[in-house]
Amino acid sequence: NLYDFDPEKDALPYKELEELDRLILHRLAKLTERVLNAYKNYEFHIIYHSVNNFCAVDLSAFYLDIIKDRLYTCAAASKLRRAAQTAIHIVLDHLIRLLAPILVFTTDEAWTFMPGKRPESAHLSQFPQPNKDWLDEGLEKKWEKLLEVKGEISKALEGARQTARIIGHPLDA
């Protein structure tokens, strides 16, 4: 998703990102703080669980699932696509640097494929710091409510699909 992205010329400023992109950066800032605190306290299990949860839930099941249409259908240089790529690049950069002490070879290999100028190795860079400008509790509460409503709708659709047989494939809804 970053093959045609050059952060020096394509990255958008935070204020120009879409709301969903700002939400994932909000969650990334919270993850970064949690992981850095876990390193300080030698609580490596917290690092593992926090990063795994972020990747599986926040990224895969939520953010990446929603933005895939923007990435694959919008024009290459469109603002919507570049906003998603900006957020993905930031998330990738943070995750690689946060995991470098634990996944030494894997992070260094991923680092070599990441676009943009940076040190030769992930191990020659500093840990990312939580960006306080990305924290937006109002945005998080808004999306929690939206996801709560989505969950209720999904339950009703599943009931209509399986129990009542009103609809067939979930896309029929």
Short mmCIF file of all heavy atoms in Angstrom, two decimals, residues 61-89:
data_model
loop_
_atom_site.label_atom_id
_atom_site.label_comp_id
_atom_site.label_asym_id
_atom_site.label_seq_id
_atom_site.Cartn_x
_atom_site.Cartn_y
_atom_site.Cartn_z
N ALA A 61 -8.90 -5.54 11.66
CA ALA A 61 -10.36 -5.70 11.70
C ALA A 61 -11.11 -4.38 11.56
O ALA A 61 -12.30 -4.37 11.26
CB ALA A 61 -10.78 -6.39 13.00
N PHE A 62 -10.41 -3.27 11.73
CA PHE A 62 -11.10 -1.98 11.69
C PHE A 62 -10.54 -1.07 10.61
O PHE A 62 -11.08 -0.94 9.53
CB PHE A 62 -11.04 -1.33 13.08
CG PHE A 62 -11.63 0.04 13.15
CD1 PHE A 62 -12.98 0.24 12.94
CD2 PHE A 62 -10.84 1.15 13.40
CE1 PHE A 62 -13.55 1.52 12.98
CE2 PHE A 62 -11.38 2.42 13.45
CZ PHE A 62 -12.73 2.60 13.24
N TYR A 63 -9.42 -0.44 10.88
CA TYR A 63 -8.90 0.62 10.01
C TYR A 63 -8.61 0.15 8.59
O TYR A 63 -9.12 0.71 7.62
CB TYR A 63 -7.66 1.24 10.64
CG TYR A 63 -7.05 2.34 9.80
CD1 TYR A 63 -7.71 3.56 9.64
CD2 TYR A 63 -5.84 2.16 9.15
CE1 TYR A 63 -7.16 4.57 8.86
CE2 TYR A 63 -5.28 3.17 8.38
CZ TYR A 63 -5.95 4.36 8.23
OH TYR A 63 -5.41 5.36 7.46
N LEU A 64 -7.78 -0.88 8.44
CA LEU A 64 -7.41 -1.33 7.10
C LEU A 64 -8.61 -1.87 6.33
O LEU A 64 -8.69 -1.72 5.11
CB LEU A 64 -6.29 -2.38 7.18
CG LEU A 64 -4.96 -1.86 7.72
CD1 LEU A 64 -3.98 -3.01 7.93
CD2 LEU A 64 -4.37 -0.79 6.81
N ASP A 65 -9.55 -2.49 7.03
CA ASP A 65 -10.75 -3.00 6.38
C ASP A 65 -11.57 -1.85 5.78
O ASP A 65 -12.11 -1.98 4.68
CB ASP A 65 -11.58 -3.80 7.39
CG ASP A 65 -12.75 -4.50 6.75
OD1 ASP A 65 -12.55 -5.16 5.70
OD2 ASP A 65 -13.87 -4.38 7.26
N ILE A 66 -11.64 -0.75 6.49
CA ILE A 66 -12.44 0.38 6.02
C ILE A 66 -11.74 1.16 4.92
O ILE A 66 -12.38 1.58 3.95
CB ILE A 66 -12.79 1.32 7.20
CG1 ILE A 66 -13.70 0.58 8.20
CG2 ILE A 66 -13.47 2.60 6.71
CD1 ILE A 66 -13.94 1.34 9.48
N ILE A 67 -10.43 1.36 5.04
CA ILE A 67 -9.74 2.22 4.06
C ILE A 67 -9.34 1.52 2.78
O ILE A 67 -8.86 2.18 1.84
CB ILE A 67 -8.49 2.90 4.68
CG1 ILE A 67 -7.43 1.88 5.02
CG2 ILE A 67 -8.87 3.78 5.84
CD1 ILE A 67 -6.04 2.46 5.14
N LYS A 68 -9.54 0.21 2.68
CA LYS A 68 -9.06 -0.49 1.49
C LYS A 68 -9.69 0.06 0.21
O LYS A 68 -9.02 0.13 -0.82
CB LYS A 68 -9.26 -1.99 1.61
CG LYS A 68 -10.68 -2.45 1.67
CD LYS A 68 -10.75 -3.96 1.86
CE LYS A 68 -12.20 -4.34 2.09
NZ LYS A 68 -12.34 -5.43 2.99
N ASP A 69 -10.93 0.49 0.27
CA ASP A 69 -11.55 1.07 -0.93
C ASP A 69 -10.84 2.36 -1.34
O ASP A 69 -10.64 2.60 -2.53
CB ASP A 69 -13.04 1.35 -0.70
CG ASP A 69 -13.86 0.09 -0.61
OD1 ASP A 69 -13.41 -0.95 -1.17
OD2 ASP A 69 -14.94 0.11 0.00
N ARG A 70 -10.47 3.18 -0.37
CA ARG A 70 -9.72 4.40 -0.68
C ARG A 70 -8.39 4.08 -1.33
O ARG A 70 -7.96 4.75 -2.24
CB ARG A 70 -9.43 5.18 0.61
CG ARG A 70 -10.44 6.20 0.96
CD ARG A 70 -9.84 7.21 1.91
NE ARG A 70 -9.93 6.79 3.30
CZ ARG A 70 -9.19 7.31 4.27
NH1 ARG A 70 -8.32 8.24 4.03
NH2 ARG A 70 -9.33 6.89 5.50
N LEU A 71 -7.73 3.05 -0.85
CA LEU A 71 -6.42 2.69 -1.36
C LEU A 71 -6.48 2.11 -2.77
O LEU A 71 -5.58 2.32 -3.58
CB LEU A 71 -5.73 1.70 -0.43
CG LEU A 71 -5.32 2.25 0.93
CD1 LEU A 71 -4.89 1.13 1.85
CD2 LEU A 71 -4.21 3.28 0.79
N TYR A 72 -7.53 1.36 -3.06
CA TYR A 72 -7.58 0.62 -4.32
C TYR A 72 -8.42 1.29 -5.40
O TYR A 72 -8.27 0.96 -6.57
CB TYR A 72 -8.10 -0.80 -4.09
CG TYR A 72 -7.28 -1.57 -3.06
CD1 TYR A 72 -7.88 -2.40 -2.14
CD2 TYR A 72 -5.89 -1.44 -3.01
CE1 TYR A 72 -7.12 -3.09 -1.19
CE2 TYR A 72 -5.13 -2.11 -2.06
CZ TYR A 72 -5.76 -2.94 -1.17
OH TYR A 72 -5.01 -3.61 -0.24
N THR A 73 -9.31 2.20 -5.05
CA THR A 73 -10.19 2.78 -6.07
C THR A 73 -9.94 4.27 -6.32
O THR A 73 -10.30 4.76 -7.37
CB THR A 73 -11.68 2.58 -5.71
OG1 THR A 73 -11.96 3.26 -4.49
CG2 THR A 73 -12.01 1.11 -5.59
N CYS A 74 -9.37 4.97 -5.37
CA CYS A 74 -9.10 6.40 -5.57
C CYS A 74 -7.89 6.58 -6.48
O CYS A 74 -7.02 5.72 -6.55
CB CYS A 74 -8.83 7.09 -4.23
SG CYS A 74 -10.28 7.21 -3.17
N ALA A 75 -7.87 7.71 -7.17
CA ALA A 75 -6.73 8.02 -8.03
C ALA A 75 -5.44 8.01 -7.20
O ALA A 75 -5.45 8.34 -6.01
CB ALA A 75 -6.92 9.39 -8.67
N ALA A 76 -4.35 7.64 -7.85
CA ALA A 76 -3.07 7.47 -7.15
C ALA A 76 -2.68 8.68 -6.31
O ALA A 76 -2.21 8.53 -5.18
CB ALA A 76 -1.97 7.14 -8.14
N ALA A 77 -2.86 9.86 -6.83
CA ALA A 77 -2.43 11.07 -6.11
C ALA A 77 -3.57 11.78 -5.39
O ALA A 77 -3.41 12.91 -4.94
CB ALA A 77 -1.74 12.03 -7.07
N SER A 78 -4.72 11.11 -5.26
CA SER A 78 -5.87 11.77 -4.62
C SER A 78 -5.59 12.03 -3.14
O SER A 78 -4.84 11.30 -2.49
CB SER A 78 -7.13 10.92 -4.77
OG SER A 78 -7.05 9.78 -3.93
N LYS A 79 -6.22 13.05 -2.64
CA LYS A 79 -6.03 13.41 -1.23
C LYS A 79 -6.50 12.29 -0.30
O LYS A 79 -5.87 12.02 0.72
CB LYS A 79 -6.76 14.72 -0.94
CG LYS A 79 -6.47 15.29 0.42
CD LYS A 79 -7.10 16.65 0.61
CE LYS A 79 -6.82 17.16 1.99
NZ LYS A 79 -7.46 18.44 2.25
N LEU A 80 -7.61 11.64 -0.65
CA LEU A 80 -8.12 10.55 0.19
C LEU A 80 -7.12 9.40 0.28
O LEU A 80 -6.89 8.86 1.36
CB LEU A 80 -9.45 10.03 -0.38
CG LEU A 80 -10.67 10.90 -0.17
CD1 LEU A 80 -11.85 10.35 -0.96
CD2 LEU A 80 -11.01 11.01 1.31
N ARG A 81 -6.54 9.03 -0.85
CA ARG A 81 -5.56 7.94 -0.86
C ARG A 81 -4.29 8.35 -0.13
O ARG A 81 -3.73 7.59 0.65
CB ARG A 81 -5.26 7.53 -2.29
CG ARG A 81 -4.40 6.29 -2.39
CD ARG A 81 -4.49 5.69 -3.80
NE ARG A 81 -3.69 4.49 -3.88
CZ ARG A 81 -2.40 4.47 -4.20
NH1 ARG A 81 -1.77 5.58 -4.49
NH2 ARG A 81 -1.74 3.33 -4.24
N ARG A 82 -3.83 9.56 -0.38
CA ARG A 82 -2.60 10.03 0.27
C ARG A 82 -2.79 10.17 1.78
O ARG A 82 -1.86 9.93 2.55
CB ARG A 82 -2.14 11.36 -0.34
CG ARG A 82 -1.66 11.26 -1.78
CD ARG A 82 -0.49 10.31 -1.92
NE ARG A 82 0.09 10.41 -3.26
CZ ARG A 82 0.70 9.43 -3.88
NH1 ARG A 82 0.84 8.25 -3.30
NH2 ARG A 82 1.20 9.60 -5.08
N ALA A 83 -3.99 10.51 2.22
CA ALA A 83 -4.26 10.59 3.66
C ALA A 83 -4.12 9.21 4.29
O ALA A 83 -3.49 9.06 5.35
CB ALA A 83 -5.66 11.16 3.91
N ALA A 84 -4.69 8.20 3.64
CA ALA A 84 -4.58 6.83 4.16
C ALA A 84 -3.13 6.38 4.15
O ALA A 84 -2.65 5.78 5.13
CB ALA A 84 -5.44 5.88 3.33
N GLN A 85 -2.41 6.66 3.08
CA GLN A 85 -1.01 6.26 3.00
C GLN A 85 -0.16 6.99 4.04
O GLN A 85 0.77 6.39 4.60
CB GLN A 85 -0.45 6.53 1.59
CG GLN A 85 -0.97 5.57 0.56
CD GLN A 85 -0.42 5.88 -0.82
OE1 GLN A 85 -0.45 7.02 -1.28
NE2 GLN A 85 0.10 4.86 -1.47
N THR A 86 -0.48 8.23 4.30
CA THR A 86 0.25 8.98 5.34
C THR A 86 0.10 8.29 6.68
O THR A 86 1.08 8.05 7.39
CB THR A 86 -0.27 10.43 5.42
OG1 THR A 86 -0.03 11.09 4.16
CG2 THR A 86 0.42 11.20 6.54
N ALA A 87 -1.14 7.93 7.03
CA ALA A 87 -1.39 7.26 8.31
C ALA A 87 -0.71 5.88 8.34
O ALA A 87 -0.10 5.52 9.35
CB ALA A 87 -2.89 7.12 8.55
N ILE A 88 -0.80 5.13 7.26
CA ILE A 88 -0.17 3.81 7.21
C ILE A 88 1.34 3.93 7.38
O ILE A 88 1.96 3.14 8.11
CB ILE A 88 -0.50 3.08 5.88
CG1 ILE A 88 -1.97 2.69 5.86
CG2 ILE A 88 0.38 1.85 5.69
CD1 ILE A 88 -2.44 2.19 4.50
N HIS A 89 1.94 4.90 6.73
CA HIS A 89 3.39 5.09 6.83
C HIS A 89 3.79 5.42 8.27
O HIS A 89 4.77 4.89 8.79
CB HIS A 89 3.84 6.20 5.88
CG HIS A 89 5.32 6.37 5.84
ND1 HIS A 89 5.97 7.31 6.60
CD2 HIS A 89 6.27 5.69 5.16
CE1 HIS A 89 7.27 7.20 6.38
NE2 HIS A 89 7.48 6.24 5.52
#
